[in-house]
Amino acid sequence: MRRLALLLTLTVAVQAQQPMGTVATHDALVSGGLEVHAERAVLVSNASITAYDHPAPIDLARGGQVLVCATSQFHLLRSGTGPSLLFALDRGAFELRTPSEPQDVILTPDLRFTFTTQGPLDLSLRVTPNGDTCVDNAGPNAPTLQLADVFSSATYRLLPGQHVLFEHGSLHEVVDRETSSCGCPAPVEPVAIAAATPGEPTTSSTAAAQHPFPAAVSQGLAPATLPDNSPPAGEKHTQVSAILAVGGNQPDSLTAAPPATAAAATVSTTPPPSPPGAHDIFHAIGHFFKKLFHPASDKPNP
């Protein structure tokens, strides 16, 4: 009975716990403490979100949104008490727009962000494979952030409206006038490319098959695949060949015939005519041997 009562107490406590937010299951791979209703995952605790080939918006229960950029890996956990949250980025980028809370925390593989003042967050954060960390704390009323190196005692104070780059994730290597975007790359409009089949119109799915995730790869969010020797999906290689014909009246000239079609082309195998005077030479040789072995046959008849 005591064990059953404890289990019921824990169940009620979990049911009473407010969700942190929701995300569409077709936008990201979601794991951790969650409940799935229709096509949305309700994030209850310790949630891990990996966006697919497009950004995955997380609607926060406390108000606001986290936009996890394409192919990025992100974690959402509770921090302290109340609606405060911990936003952690393993790789890639995210954009955070929400009113800040006193116990909010932001983590990257190298840095820890805490809040010294409060305000509306419009924060873009990106971590590249080599550790470069781009932070854009946009807005004149944005909160002031205190950054700490998780491996040392180094700190940095990030003011409202400040846009910086920490090279290799180091607080000692700061580009304080960074101009590149720290958030999700802008969507790329499909470009006109050759159709998979002649006469077939090019569609966005055809373009995606030939050029997957161009923005994510160019911005360092997704690894570039090494090209192989096979042609891209849907592309056909056409081989054109030509036959060289020999002119009968001009043995020293070569003329190019039209390109070969699908049917097998025939090539004339008739040998060229004998050079002039060949018949006379063979006739003279035959007459010589006849005169040598049958001298009487050459005598004139009486």
Side-chain angles (χ1 to χ4, degrees):
M1 292 295 294
R2 183 176 301 176
R3 180 176 298 177
L4 179 59
L6 180 59
L7 180 60
L8 290 174
T9 302
L10 292 175
T11 303
V12 172
V14 171
Q15 291 177 347
Q17 192 176 36
Q18 295 296 320
M20 298 180 294
T22 63
V23 62
T25 55
H26 59 261
D27 289 333
L29 176 65
V30 188
S31 61
L34 56 94
E35 300 173 0
V36 178
H37 299 282
E39 294 184 354
R40 294 198 70 82
V42 179
L43 310 177
V44 179
S45 63
N46 300 351
S48 176
I49 301 96
T50 303
Y52 292 141
D53 60 342
H54 55 276
I58 303 174
D59 295 326
L60 299 176
R62 75 184 199 184
Q65 186 183 77
V66 182
L67 187 63
V68 182
C69 302
T71 73
S72 301
Q73 189 169 6
F74 176 82
H75 302 274
L76 187 64
L77 300 86
R78 297 186 183 277
S79 176
T81 58
S84 296
L85 295 171
L86 187 151
F87 309 91
L89 181 66
D90 278 353
R91 57 178 172 79
F94 73 89
E95 299 174 5
L96 176 59
R97 297 177 179 91
T98 183
S100 65
E101 294 290 337
Q103 294 179 307
D104 282 346
V105 177
I106 300 173
L107 287 178
T108 70
D110 300 300
L111 303 175
R112 176 185 174 90
F113 300 64
T114 54
F115 294 74
T116 58
T117 64
Q118 303 303 309
L121 270 170
D122 186 2
L123 184 77
S124 298
L125 178 62
R126 173 178 299 181
V127 177
T128 62
N130 69 346
D132 288 351
T133 304
C134 179
V135 187
D136 187 2
N137 190 24
N141 300 318
T144 300
L145 303 178
Q146 185 74 17
L147 281 64
D149 191 330
V150 297
F151 301 107
S152 69
S153 58
T155 60
Y156 187 92
R157 189 179 180 88
L158 189 67
L159 302 177
Q162 198 170 1
H163 184 180
V164 298
L165 174 69
F166 301 99
E167 295 181 346
H168 310 293
S170 172
L171 297 180
H172 299 288
E173 302 177 47
V174 183
V175 179
D176 59 0
R177 294 185 182 275
E178 180 63 20
T179 58
S180 64
S181 172
C182 299
C184 300
V188 178
E189 295 295 331
V191 295
I193 57 176
T197 304
E200 178 183 334
T202 301
T203 62
S204 58
S205 59
T206 305
Q210 297 191 25
H211 304 282
F213 320 138
V217 171
S218 65
Q219 297 293 336
L221 304 185
T225 57
L226 294 177
D228 54 19
N229 293 328
S230 59
E235 182 176 332
K236 294 184 177 180
H237 283 195
T238 304
Q239 183 175 357
V240 180
S241 60
I243 299 175
L244 294 180
V246 179
N249 296 328
Q250 297 177 351
D252 296 334
S253 64
L254 297 179
T255 58
T261 60
T266 59
V267 181
S268 175
T269 57
T270 303
S274 300
H279 177 75
D280 297 337
I281 295 175
F282 287 114
H283 179 75
I285 295 175
H287 182 72
F288 170 77
F289 282 105
K290 182 179 179 181
K291 183 178 180 180
L292 180 65
F293 294 103
H294 304 282
S297 60
D298 288 340
K299 295 181 179 179
N301 293 326

